[in-house]
Amino acid sequence: MIVEDRAINASLSLKNPKPLTKENASALQIWGKVPLRGHVNISGAKNSALAIMAGTLLCGEDCRIRNLPNLVDIARMSQVLSALGVKLNRQNNTLDIDSSHIGHSKAPYELVSQLRASFFVIGPLLARLGSARVPLPGGCAIGARPVALHVRGLQAMGADVRIEHGIVHADVKGREGRLKGANIYLDYPSVGATETLMMAATLAQGETIIDNAAQEPEVVDLANFCRAMGAKIRGAGTNTITIVGVPRLHSTDYAIIPDRIEAGTFLIAGAITQSEISLSPVLPDHLTPVIAKLGEVGVRVVVEAPNRLRVIPGALKATDIKTLPYPGFPTDMQAQFMALLTLSEGNSVITETVFENRLRHVAELSRMGADIRVKGQNAIVRGVPFLSGAPVMATDLRASAALVLAGLAAEGMTIVKGLHHLDRGYEDLETKLQNLGAKLERVQLQEDSEEDDPKQTANPVLS
Ligand code: EPZ
């Protein structure tokens, strides 16, 4: 028996996110086939916010970060920073961060193990304090997620890096205790490695060039934040970034860009429910590959104003998707787009090239009547006339969003479990959808309902 759950929201308070237990496990109950209408506000970008919060460690003064989304991941990064001695004061979507008195350079295992992105503190700690002790983040639901590119780059900048008992020990060699500029070629344009090395290089002696760098908008946002603190960075957003180190950085007041992945998710919410909705603030350029693919499917996206988009639905046609580093099609939109293609006329091939284990939502979409076959990194999606509501289990952040989208389009009721994944990366998704007219609610799960996925009851690693 499922009961109403106002208590759940309270228990998921974002100040100190509770480890997931059966007691606070919740699910989303969705009645499908309800058209959406109106406008939705897009929150600040999770993946910018996490890197920028780590970046405040570079500066010995206090910084103000605006447009910060209210997410479990942000709360976890706040816990990591506060464990390092950083003072944080949050008012709604504004966070004052004072890292003038960071006590030590050791990030606690129990926190880092819950949030991969907290590994990004290694660059700023090493550059500012000359040493860092950060647990290896380990793999997650979507892949092994190694950090060799981060480590190799720091070694090229003169750091002595060794891994002992699962902890990365990094120390700057030499008496000056400063990293040295270096020419670094990345074997893969890793977002995290580019961000770690770019941050470390801001306080290094001399010039650093990062070749084959990641070009994601979140990398550019981090570079702009560092420049606002006085860093000398050129070429962010291209595959070659040049950083000339400076002795110290100063405080700043910075607003984070809108979340292009949340925006992309809402574009698909409109398309999959055949609804015309608008969304802002967004930076349309950040969504070029997503908008282009929606066009191929038969969905028009109109730029109504510099930072406002309107989605105009249409009869859905099949198309092929291949995920790639930016400006290619984002892997963080792959699952949501797959949900859309399950209802598109014809056969689509989706190729996931960025993460080796990011097709786990296929089984859950198939539960809802989708026709998808997986061959290696390819998923062949044969469009079906309709999906039917079913109880499904989210396996990671973007998979959870895809299941919610499929539930909005399905006949009958869908119950999406494993919402701790969703809460990591979507601010108030159900309220935003309810305001667009969707019929859904968060409910508390009874004891047994999580049995079919024991992993869900353990304390999951948040990627
Ligand atoms: C960032 O992860 C994002 N996370 C991910 O978003 C996103 O999917 C990913 O970039 C790609 O766009 C944050 O920004 C917090 P990568 P990151 O290093 O930095 C391999 C979401 O849904 N690799 O670019 O960890 C790696 O295994 C999340 O919001 C190495 O081999 O991604 C992967 O296959 C999920 N060695 C590929 O590169 C390394 O040292 C891309 O990883 C580093 C990475």
Side-chain angles (χ1 to χ4, degrees), residues 329-350:
F329 188 90
T331 172
D332 295 349
M333 282 300 301
Q334 177 256 100
Q336 300 94 311
F337 221 96
M338 184 186 287
L340 183 68
L341 292 174
T342 63
L343 292 166
S344 303
E345 181 74 34
N347 297 345
S348 308
V349 178
I350 296 178

Side-chain angles (χ1 to χ4, degrees), residues 278-309:
S278 61
L279 42 143
S280 70
V282 292
L283 298 171
D285 292 354
H286 292 174
L287 285 157
T288 304
V290 175
I291 294 172
K293 283 293 168 185
L294 281 171
E296 288 175 18
V297 165
V299 176
R300 272 190 327 119
V301 176
V302 181
V303 180
E304 266 189 340
N307 69 350
R308 186 186 174 105
L309 293 176

